Amino acid sequence: MDIEKNKERFISLFETYIKRRNSEHLLNYIINKSDFFTAPASTRYHGAYEGGLCEHSLQVYDCLKDYLSRPRVKEIYELDVSEETIAIIALLHDLCKCNVYKTDTKNKKINGAWQQVPYYVFEDPFPYGHGEKSVFMIQHYIPLTAAEAMAIRYHMGFSSTESASQVGQAFNKYPLAFALSTADMEATYFLENIQKHEENNDE
């Protein structure tokens, strides 16, 4: 993974497709007031490494683009989504993860000897939830459509803390929410495992 390369691609996609009012202020926050490009995506699960958050966001973007390009999605599900909406919901769905991961050290036995190793801890100074916090943060800068807000809000799908019926209602009314959730799961459960497998083979 190349952190700088991912940063450049993220900024390029943002500037190319997101033209909404005040979007430049949102990008300025991401670049200059957050750790978005170096933060992990989690403490222990997917993207639990430096730069994991940006990498995961780009992977979700690629997965969502691929999902929405399918003729079946366009013709039967009637999902014809603008490039701007795709960029907003995919690149920014986990904005809530900015500035919440800190590094600490713990003792771990390696080759029979105890050593101090770094690890991530989660400390949220504004515990406003997950998807709903991303919506809140984005809307502080740019307006979102109802479909965009619902997609980001429910991108965790049935693995979230909401009831299955509530998630199902959101997916039924806003198919874009299901599309983003599908892309997020594909990036989380498939792309990262493929990447780990390739890295292990290179060693």
Side-chain angles (χ1 to χ4, degrees):
M1 181 192 60
D2 188 322
I3 291 177
E4 281 304 313
K5 185 176 179 180
N6 285 341
K7 178 179 179 179
E8 290 173 7
R9 185 179 178 222
F10 180 96
I11 293 173
S12 176
L13 288 170
F14 190 108
E15 292 179 332
T16 300
Y17 296 118
I18 302 177
K19 304 295 184 181
R20 209 153 293 183
R21 173 172 50 87
N22 291 328
S23 60
E24 69 276 10
H25 298 301
L26 175 54
L27 184 58
N28 178 64
Y29 164 78
I30 293 171
I31 295 173
N32 297 310
K33 298 180 181 180
S34 84
D35 60 356
F36 183 88
F37 300 110
T38 57
S42 69
T43 56
R44 294 186 295 140
Y45 303 107
H46 74 96
Y49 45 81
E50 185 179 13
L53 177 56
C54 180
E55 182 176 64
H56 170 70
S57 301
L58 291 170
Q59 289 174 340
V60 171
Y61 174 83
D62 292 334
C63 291
L64 183 61
K65 284 274 289 183
D66 183 68
Y67 178 89
L68 293 173
S69 69
R70 297 165 58 199
R72 182 182 188 87
V73 172
K74 293 178 178 292
E75 297 165 10
I76 299 178
Y77 307 158
E78 297 181 345
L79 262 180
D80 190 9
V81 185
S82 72
E83 292 289 347
E84 181 176 54
T85 289
I86 295 171
I88 287 172
I89 67 174
L91 297 178
L92 305 175
H93 74 282
D94 271 346
L95 193 65
C96 60
K97 294 183 177 180
C98 287
N99 303 328
V100 297
Y101 293 106
K102 312 299 179 186
T103 56
D104 203 342
T105 58
K106 62 181 178 180
N107 292 324
K108 182 178 181 180
K109 186 172 280 190
I110 302 175
N111 297 325
W114 288 100
Q115 298 181 32
Q116 281 203 330
V117 296
Y119 74 105
Y120 288 108
V121 292
F122 182 82
E123 296 179 6
D124 193 346
F126 185 61
Y128 195 65
H130 186 66
E132 58 268 48
K133 183 179 176 181
S134 288
V135 171
F136 178 86
M137 292 174 69
I138 296 166
Q139 288 188 319
H140 181 73
Y141 294 96
I142 65 173
L144 295 174
T145 66
E148 290 166 350
M150 292 294 284
I152 296 168
R153 170 67 177 83
Y154 287 99
H155 75 265
M156 292 289 289
F158 293 106
S159 64
S160 66
T161 57
E162 282 79 25
S163 67
S165 62
Q166 183 176 339
V167 175
Q169 289 173 20
F171 284 176
N172 185 57
K173 189 170 184 179
Y174 296 96
L176 186 63
F178 175 80
L180 180 61
S181 178
T182 300
D184 185 58
M185 287 191 293
E186 182 180 355
T188 299
Y189 295 107
F190 291 103
L191 286 187
E192 185 166 333
N193 287 335
I194 291 171
Q195 176 181 303
K196 287 179 180 177
H197 179 72
E198 290 174 346
E199 289 173 352
N200 289 334
N201 286 341
D202 290 339
E203 291 178 355

